[in-house]
Amino acid sequence: MKKTLFLALLMLSSQMAEAKQVTVQTKNMTMVLNVDEGKQPQYVYFGAKLSDYDLAHLQAPRGGRMDAYPAYGMDCPAEAALAMRHADGSLATELVATGVEQQDGVTRIHLKDTVYPVTVDLCYKGYQDVDMIETWTEIRNGEAKPVTLTQFASCCLPIRRGNVWISSFYGSWGNEGILCEEPLTPGEKIIKNKDGVRNAHTSRGEVMFSLDGKGQENSGDVIGAAICYSGNYLLKVETDDSDYHYFFAGINPDNSEYHLRKGETFVTPKIALSFSKAGLSGVSRNFHKWGREYMLAHGNKERKVLLNSWEGVYFDINQQGMDQMMGDIASMGGELFVMDDGWFGDKYPRKTDNSSLGDWVVDKNKLPEGIEGLLRDAKKHGIKFGIWIEPEMANTVSELYEAHPDWIIKAPKREPVQGRGGTQVVLDMSNPKVQDFVFSIVDNLMTKYPEIDYIKWDANMSVMNHGSQYLTMNDQSHLYIEYHRGFQKTCQRIRAKYPDLTIQACASGGGRANWGVLPYFDEFWVSDNTDALQRIYMQWGTSYFFPAIAMAAHISATPNHTVQRTTSIKYRIDVAMSGRLGMEIQPKNMTDVEKEICREAIKEYKEVRPIVQLGDIFRLVSPYDKKGIASLMYVNEEKTKSVFFWWKTESFQNEHLPRVKMAGLDAKKMYKVHELNRIDRFPMDIEGKVFSGEYLMNNGLEMPRSNNPKWASMRSDWSSRVLYLEAE
């Protein structure tokens, strides 16, 4: 059951002609706007929760532009949230308030243009239990002819200048979610995506603002913001000569002007806003709770430990090999096997990445007993079965493309630019026929094989050709927006029919780590790079906005297939255990000792799985601070159980590593320490001992600088520790 939404709307006057104070409030957070008829609504306050007395005696902000949703044309030098070309060609819009309405847990501030019949609703929805406010806009055209939207942000938020720092995320394939921390300075800070299909590789649609200096993990005032949208976005911070920074967030309008027809309403994506006085990790905890409770598919259901076939065999799929991998993961305590790319194609069998996408039929040469045989083998081994698909894509070498060349995204009058393998193309999700086809891929699999437990949904190409063969020539600029409307409609159909199916969002790795995607997916693949050391950095940044339950983290082989680094099996396990644990390896190439270590690790992970996947995160020492280590911990809601992670990130002679103070525990409780995944000859000197929460948070525990394993072959520069703390 979803928890009851709470949103307070405080009216200081019953007469419409007078200003109203609109308050959106959660357990620990307050947003206040003044709404005066005939004027632009004004932000008054956003931050820690205010008492009734303080609400009634708020000081009006000075030195900035506090417009809640500034429009372009009547204050041209200032940045605008909305810009349009009216039917008569005018570029000027002026929005003023006409009223406030509360319905179904949403507060709507009604705005209208002073000349043209165009209206805008500013929408706010507060979640009492998770300290989150969602905001978006609804733009309606009442003119006789279409108007053209050229700028359409979801929100604008003034942030008082001072020593404000921004935490944002950048990267590339194999290096997603890299943290960038910098002070906000005069000028513009732009974070945007133009991929068309995936939106989380090179940048991410989430930011945190630390209001009193460089962000601290567990102290300080911090604002977090995330766009909930699967397509191209634009986040912008404008800092001019006033006393405020101005944060804008919404769909990226580049090459996406939208023709809003008479009577049509354009709904912008939601922006999730949170505030915490408990630092960066405090905002993360708010986003994790909100995400698990209200956004993520099956957000409060523990995830299975799985083995994925990709790095183990790549395209070399066959019946015997899949059976062997299923048996191996079952013997190590795994619960699910996922067969990746390479299982399909009839006329064009899928042997490499240059053919067959779109032809979702079993290659009987590889799998003579078909999916039925795989499901039988999974049942024999006592595990579940999952399968890989890439439904939004096709190859020009495919039966699908031969039958429907008009279904692909392609610039008019031009040959298509092709991607992966030299033949990959993107299907046009704006086309209802394509939406039906993509739905049918999942529907056919699940109808014929209802025992399938898990689908890995991949997307390995950008929009590299701007053009739709479905949209009219006048509406070609709608492509990016209509693609994701079609994607969303298709996902909604799938979830309506198959609500219990587990689906992973993979997009060349972490390309779809976004809250606009995750209502239809259970998790995402953090990165195609499974190197444990680099994963510490990527998973650290990703954890700012996404909970461990959504972060697929797998134990893989060494040397790693991406960076060729060699790390110990323990180190790989200890990093993967901080997310949704799985394996990405060919078990038959593992030694018996490695299998035994994994068997014990999976057993122990199952014991702490509720804490990691559903607990509160406290990041302790950042790998980005270059102190030689990284450390974080998860604590359950009752503060009776915790899992503490400690990883070395560098190795030098005569190194001096910091002792890590813990966080989030109950100072008055006593905690017994047990090391997980131990490979050392002798236990640590803290093994089995009991410490007070106060001591652990004020002092911390000394970690040995290296592992002293029973097996010399497992010595490694990259040592790590995982501790399980349980209150007595």
Side-chain angles (χ1 to χ4, degrees), residues 568-571 574 593 597 600 604 646 675-685 687 703-712 714-716 718-723:
S568 71
I569 188 70
K570 172 177 169 55
Y571 196 76
D574 287 356
V593 170
I597 290 173
E600 185 63 23
E604 292 189 314
W646 183 96
E675 183 182 5
L676 303 179
N677 308 333
R678 182 167 74 86
I679 63 169
D680 292 65
R681 294 174 183 274
F682 306 103
M684 296 171 61
D685 58 1
E687 179 66 33
M703 296 294 108
R705 286 172 166 75
S706 61
N707 293 110
N708 183 20
K710 306 170 189 176
W711 307 276
M714 292 193 175
R715 290 186 179 275
S716 171
W718 315 108
S719 61
S720 55
R721 303 284 171 176
V722 182
L723 304 182

Side-chain angles (χ1 to χ4, degrees), residues 201-215:
H201 271 309
T202 57
S203 61
R204 289 203 166 163
E206 304 87 33
V207 292
M208 289 192 190
F209 299 100
S210 302
L211 305 184
D212 39 17
K214 185 176 184 294

